[in-house]
């Protein structure tokens, strides 16, 4: 890595285990603060060291992915961290579909997950929901009371 200040110490990517764990959990602000406090360096110097570690980590991960891809016969350009994920072209084709908010999508995915778990357990949904049964029972009781009162007082 290029060091613009020749008087300063060279940047080393060797970090304490606690800092590495924070970086892996994407808790970068706490990692920078903890590294600056532990080694009594400025926040900028800590950020530079953490950035150097992150780039080294990404390079290693990319190399591992490339070796796996070559073993499986996948071209190296197909797997990369630098590229943005491709968007689905299906969204342009469907005009009448209503787009949902992320909260609705999360709820729908939760609903699909629960339904698939229940299907895996062999649970069958009842023909009439529980609340409809209750309303039906209340209506029958009220009709019976009305009929009795009409026969007595009518």
């Amino acid at each position: 890595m290029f060091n613009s200040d020749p008087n300063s110490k060279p940047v080393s990517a060797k970090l304490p285990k606690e800092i590495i764990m924070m970086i892996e959990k994407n808790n970068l602000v706490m990692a920078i603060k903890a590294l600056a406090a532990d080694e009594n360096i400025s926040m900028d110097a800590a950020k530079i060291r953490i950035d150097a570690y992150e780039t080294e980590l990404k390079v290693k991960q990319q190399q591992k992915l490339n070796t796996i891809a070559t073993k499986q016969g996948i071209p190296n350009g197909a797997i990369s961290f630098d590229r943005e994920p491709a968007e689905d072209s299906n969204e342009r084709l469907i005009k009448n579909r209503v787009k949902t908010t992320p909260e609705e999508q999360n709820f729908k995915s939760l609903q699909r997950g629960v339904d698939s778990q229940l299907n895996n357990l062999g649970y069958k949904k009842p023909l009439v929901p529980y609340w409809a049964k209750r309303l039906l029972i209340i209506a029958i009781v009220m009709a019976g009371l009305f009929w009795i009162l009409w026969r007595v007082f009518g």
Side-chain angles (χ1 to χ4, degrees):
M1 176 178 240
F2 176 70
N3 193 358
S4 61
D5 187 10
N7 295 332
S8 67
K9 292 188 265 183
V11 175
S12 71
K14 186 70 176 169
L15 297 172
K17 285 189 177 186
E18 305 86 38
I19 306 297
I20 292 173
M21 288 174 59
M22 287 183 204
I23 293 170
E24 288 173 354
K25 291 181 181 178
N26 285 332
N27 197 351
L28 299 176
V29 175
M30 286 300 297
I32 291 170
K33 286 182 180 179
L35 183 63
D38 287 348
E39 297 190 0
N40 199 14
I41 57 175
S42 69
M43 296 280 237
D44 291 333
K47 183 182 180 316
I48 290 170
R49 286 188 55 194
I50 288 176
D51 286 344
Y53 176 77
E54 278 187 315
T55 55
E56 180 183 322
L57 186 66
K58 284 185 180 181
V59 167
K60 285 181 183 177
Q61 288 176 344
Q62 186 66 39
Q63 289 172 348
K64 286 180 184 177
L65 281 176
N66 286 341
T67 57
I68 292 171
T70 54
K71 286 180 183 177
Q72 294 181 352
I74 301 170
N76 288 341
I79 301 174
S80 175
F81 285 120
D82 299 335
R83 295 185 299 128
E84 292 293 321
E87 292 187 19
D88 293 333
S89 60
N90 297 341
E91 298 217 21
R92 283 183 261 131
L93 299 176
I94 301 172
K95 292 183 179 180
N96 295 332
R97 188 172 80 189
V98 177
K99 293 190 177 185
T100 59
T101 61
E103 293 84 17
E104 291 174 353
Q105 289 174 350
N106 291 340
F107 180 72
K108 286 181 181 178
S109 66
L110 175 67
Q111 228 173 5
R112 283 192 300 267
V114 169
D115 288 343
S116 67
Q117 285 288 349
L118 290 175
N119 287 340
N120 290 343
L121 293 173
Y123 177 78
K124 297 199 186 270
K125 289 184 179 179
L127 190 59
V128 179
Y130 187 72
W131 60 270
K133 288 180 188 175
R134 283 207 166 178
L135 287 178
L136 184 63
I137 290 172
I138 291 171
I140 291 172
V141 169
M142 288 178 67
L145 287 174
F146 177 75
W147 183 76
I148 290 172
L149 291 174
W150 182 64
R151 294 295 282 170
V152 170
F153 294 112

